Amino acid sequence: MSTPTLHIILFTVLASLFVSTCCDNQSREDVALFIFGDSINDAGTNNYINTTAGFRANFPPYGETFFRYPTGGFSDGRLIVDFIAEYANLPLIPPYLQIKDDEFMGGANFASAGAGALVDTYEGFVVDLKTQLKQLEQLEKKLRKEMGSEKTKRIIKEGVYLISIGTNDYTKPLLNPALFQSISMEDYVGMVIGNITSVLKGIYEVGGRKFAMIGVGQFGCAPSRRRLTRNGSCSGEANKIAQLHNVALTSILAKLETQLQGFEYTYFDFYTSLSERIQYPSKYGFKEAKSACCGSGPYRANSTCGGQRGVKEYSLCRHPEKYVFFDSGHPSERANRQFAQLMWNGSASVVRPRNLKELFKHEGT
């Protein structure tokens, strides 16, 4: 038996166990979770495309904490979306590219590590956001053939569309200072938000009504950015553009709710939630917030975790649960659990205008 096949079997077994052991008997037959975005949400999409190890996490020590094998997710264990699936009484949602005919179970994950809202963000190495929308359209057509139009319409309408996108659109240009001499940060953010808006409207046209948006986090304080500053401080420029993005995103979400009948959303303030854990790690049960658990160099900020990305040598901490960041740019499973809990039933200070639990329960119009 090949390793990828074994991983699919293990994923399916774990998915079913996840539901049977964690969840109540409430029937959620027509509630599904559709996941879009980047490495924050990627459960293994990039295992199935022609890309490089820099955009994959399908090797140890990724996944070891919970799965005991690398699923392709960029963490030591579960991702935010894995916990959300648990809270919503759903199985672990598999990558869309992994799903075979007649295997639809609770949703699909289209997210691709490295993806951006702009098509040319790491073009050729990732599945960009607009292509992820096309995949949803393909899935909807396939479901109509398998389940019939009425049931498919209900699944699409009552489903929740969880999206994390934008960070990759900003990380690359920030390494090219000349870019922001020819275009303002505000205009560049406007291009990114324009593409996100187009995809949200595209999902709406397919039939989606419930949207869960994860804002861009305080990525200027990730280990990968700290190594680029003189004294290991946060990158002010990166954090500034993240904040500009989040202000623009919340504004467009509010507009869409008034413009599109039945459009509902929740916005998770990832920036503030991550910032709190970086500033006050012990308050949230962490011991280290500046350095990654896995990597090399100062702050373990070099993206060498697993030794498959051109450099074999890397170091790994003993206790990932004590770290906010597992690798140079991605949260640990413990941090992911905390973020998921905030998204699910947090207060309006971090998730608004409603939390995910309310969004899942609400009957669409």
Side-chain angles (χ1 to χ4, degrees), residues 134 205 239 301 304 313:
K134 289 176 184 174
E205 286 174 14
N239 288 341
T304 56
E313 291 75 27

Side-chain angles (χ1 to χ4, degrees), residues 214-234:
I214 299 178
V216 169
Q218 195 185 38
F219 73 94
C221 295
S224 59
R225 306 306 297 189
R226 286 186 187 276
R227 72 184 177 92
L228 302 175
T229 60
R230 286 183 180 179
N231 57 357
S233 61
C234 297

Side-chain angles (χ1 to χ4, degrees), residues 23-298:
C23 310
D24 58 32
N25 294 320
Q26 183 183 4
S27 175
R28 311 286 294 180
E29 184 183 0
D30 294 328
V31 176
L33 179 59
F34 298 99
I35 302 156
F36 298 78
D38 50 30
S39 55
I40 293 294
N41 287 347
D42 184 356
T45 292
N46 287 8
N47 298 352
Y48 299 92
I49 66 172
N50 183 21
T51 189
T52 65
F55 296 92
R56 284 181 176 152
N58 58 343
F59 41 83
Y62 290 103
E64 294 291 330
T65 298
F66 177 78
F67 300 101
R68 302 291 183 244
Y69 73 94
T71 61
F74 282 75
S75 185
D76 57 299
R78 287 163 286 185
L79 305 173
I80 292 171
V81 293
D82 296 330
F83 290 108
I84 296 298
E86 175 189 347
Y87 304 154
N89 299 334
L90 292 167
L92 290 170
I93 308 300
Y96 167 71
L97 295 178
Q98 178 184 304
I99 301 172
K100 295 184 174 64
D101 290 344
D102 301 318
E103 278 188 0
F104 180 79
M105 186 173 64
N109 189 326
F110 306 94
S112 171
L118 302 178
V119 175
D120 57 358
T121 297
Y122 299 115
E123 189 174 8
F125 295 94
V126 302
V127 183
D128 65 84
L129 188 61
K130 286 191 175 181
T131 303
Q132 293 176 33
L133 169 59
K134 289 176 184 174
Q135 291 176 335
L136 172 68
E137 293 167 348
Q138 292 165 3
L139 176 63
E140 190 267 345
K141 288 177 183 175
K142 193 158 63 170
L143 290 178
R144 265 194 281 139
K145 286 183 180 178
E146 293 171 2
M147 300 178 175
S149 294
E150 282 306 308
K151 184 168 184 179
T152 299
K153 186 178 179 181
R154 198 161 62 245
I155 289 171
I156 295 295
K157 181 183 176 184
E158 293 303 325
V160 170
Y161 298 81
L162 195 157
I163 305 166
S164 167
I165 201 76
T167 304
N168 294 307
D169 294 304
Y170 305 124
T171 52
K172 199 173 178 182
L174 283 170
L175 297 174
N176 175 21
L179 175 70
F180 292 118
Q181 292 174 1
S182 59
I183 183 173
S184 70
M185 274 192 179
E186 289 80 3
D187 286 345
Y188 187 83
V189 168
M191 288 180 2
V192 173
I193 296 297
N195 277 22
I196 292 172
T197 304
S198 174
V199 168
L200 291 175
K201 288 180 176 178
I203 295 171
Y204 182 88
E205 286 174 14
V206 174
R209 294 294 182 267
K210 302 177 182 181
F211 298 84
M213 300 296 301
I214 299 178
V216 169
Q218 195 185 38
F219 73 94
C221 295
S224 59
R225 306 306 297 189
R226 286 186 187 276
R227 72 184 177 92
L228 302 175
T229 60
R230 286 183 180 179
N231 57 357
S233 61
C234 297
S235 165
E237 197 174 29
N239 288 341
K240 179 185 175 183
I241 204 165
Q243 290 172 310
L244 287 171
H245 172 97
N246 293 334
V247 168
L249 178 61
T250 52
S251 175
I252 201 66
L253 288 169
K255 283 182 182 176
L256 289 173
E257 190 166 46
T258 62
Q259 292 172 355
L260 303 176
Q261 185 179 0
F263 182 99
E264 293 181 293
Y265 76 93
T266 176
Y267 167 78
F268 174 53
D269 187 354
F270 190 29
Y271 188 97
T272 298
S273 302
L274 179 58
S275 171
E276 277 278 309
R277 283 152 184 79
I278 292 170
Q279 282 187 279
Y280 312 106
S282 60
K283 182 179 175 182
Y284 299 96
F286 299 102
K287 287 191 174 180
E288 180 55 60
K290 290 184 177 180
S291 294
C293 167
C294 185
S296 61

